[in-house]
Amino acid sequence: MTRILLVEDEENYRAPLAFRLRRDGYEVVEAGDGRTALRAFQAAAAPGGAIDLVLLDLMLPAVPGTEVCRRIRTVSRVPVIMLTARDSETDKILGLETGADDYVTKPYSYRELIARVHAVLRRSREAAAPAEPQEKILTVGRVRMDVERHEVTVDGQGVTMPLREFELLELFLRHPDHVLTRGRIIEQIWGADYVGDTKTLDVHVKRIRAKIEVEPSRPRMLTTVRGVGYKLEAGQ
Ligand code: CA
């Protein structure tokens, strides 16, 4: 059973969320402040009791969420999703710096939260699995990439791709039909320590669309999953 540590000081948020997570089959450990959260996390380190995912409110009394995340990161790679109060760029950058894997901005829908929980858990399991030898030729729909020769063709026509665009497209081609969260993409392409403007990702996506889409302004291959990230549609 997947065990989630839910850290949220506001009972009005925590109780209904814990209820729905349990109803969906998750085991939930609740903590109302940062200190309790860190204690619960350490206590769970015993065999068979480990936490699989942390849902962490940023605004907590005494020990703030960023500090809780930082301390967890010193001992564990457990996935952390930050619950931020505002859609503020500062909060997101703060979260990235402390090592969170993703964010959900309040008010969020339960569906949106669960989509991110699934994505982050899948990624964490993939990371734990032994690496498979990687394909060198990637083909999805009209796009073909020769990774070793650093060549991309669309409908057989060669297109030029600077390194970041190439790496980003490679990431999508390796995960067709998977929603890739912004946090995951930024970590994989720009590195976990990236603290720049998250708009950089959108700019790169736009450039790739200009090269692979029939109608770049109405993308059908590289689609936006609102509030989550992007997806490469294999059927296009
Ligand atoms: Ca709070």
Side-chain angles (χ1 to χ4, degrees):
M1 195 181 238
T2 303
R3 185 172 295 176
I4 296 177
L5 174 59
L6 172 58
V7 191
E8 168 68 77
D9 57 314
E10 285 153 88
E11 175 81 25
N12 289 345
Y13 272 114
R14 193 180 70 236
L17 180 54
F19 175 80
R20 297 181 82 169
L21 289 167
R22 286 188 184 112
R23 192 192 55 191
D24 284 348
Y26 293 98
E27 193 177 328
V28 182
V29 178
E30 293 181 56
D33 62 77
R35 222 161 267 143
T36 311
L38 287 167
R39 264 203 305 272
F41 190 79
Q42 278 152 10
I51 300 290
D52 298 297
L53 177 92
V54 181
L55 291 176
L56 181 58
D57 183 27
L58 192 66
M59 304 285 275
L60 291 169
V63 185
T66 48
E67 185 56 26
V68 173
C69 189
R70 232 177 242 127
R71 291 200 207 166
I72 287 176
R73 272 291 164 268
T74 61
V75 295
S76 168
R77 282 300 307 159
V78 67
V80 176
I81 298 178
M82 285 272 192
L83 310 173
T84 68
R86 293 160 289 134
D87 193 3
S88 137
E89 216 55 28
T90 318
D91 284 359
K92 290 179 180 175
I93 290 165
L94 212 57
L96 262 186
E97 280 179 337
T98 57
D101 295 84
D102 210 344
Y103 315 85
V104 179
T105 306
K106 293 177 187 173
Y108 52 82
S109 73
Y110 181 72
R111 230 178 115 185
E112 181 191 352
L113 178 70
I114 275 297
R116 300 214 188 181
V117 165
H118 286 165
V120 165
L121 282 172
R122 185 173 58 227
R123 173 180 154 201
S124 134
R125 282 173 190 139
E126 279 169 8
E132 288 171 31
Q134 293 207 312
E135 296 288 330
K136 296 184 175 63
I137 306 287
L138 305 169
T139 309
V140 173
R142 306 157 51 230
V143 181
R144 181 181 184 277
M145 173 181 280
D146 184 328
V147 179
E148 291 199 326
R149 300 177 72 176
H150 197 93
E151 285 172 359
V152 179
T153 58
V154 179
D155 283 336
Q157 299 288 314
V159 294
T160 312
M161 288 228 166
L163 185 61
R164 291 290 197 207
E165 279 173 48
F166 187 90
E167 289 175 344
L168 187 53
L169 182 59
E170 182 187 350
L171 181 65
F172 285 117
L173 290 169
R174 289 197 187 278
H175 302 89
D177 283 336
H178 282 227
V179 178
L180 300 184
T181 64
R182 300 180 63 86
R184 172 178 183 182
I185 297 169
I186 289 169
E187 186 179 320
Q188 294 225 345
I189 304 299
W190 283 274
D193 302 328
Y194 181 76
V195 290
D197 192 341
T198 59
K199 296 256 183 325
T200 303
L201 170 58
D202 305 302
V203 171
H204 281 76
V205 166
K206 199 174 171 189
R207 288 183 189 149
I208 292 174
R209 280 174 174 158
K211 294 170 186 177
I212 69 169
E213 296 283 353
V214 176
E215 266 188 279
S217 59
R218 294 176 58 199
R220 298 184 62 178
M221 270 203 87
L222 187 48
T223 57
T224 302
V225 183
R226 281 192 71 178
V228 183
Y230 293 101
K231 182 166 101 171
L232 184 70
E233 310 280 350
Q236 291 297 321

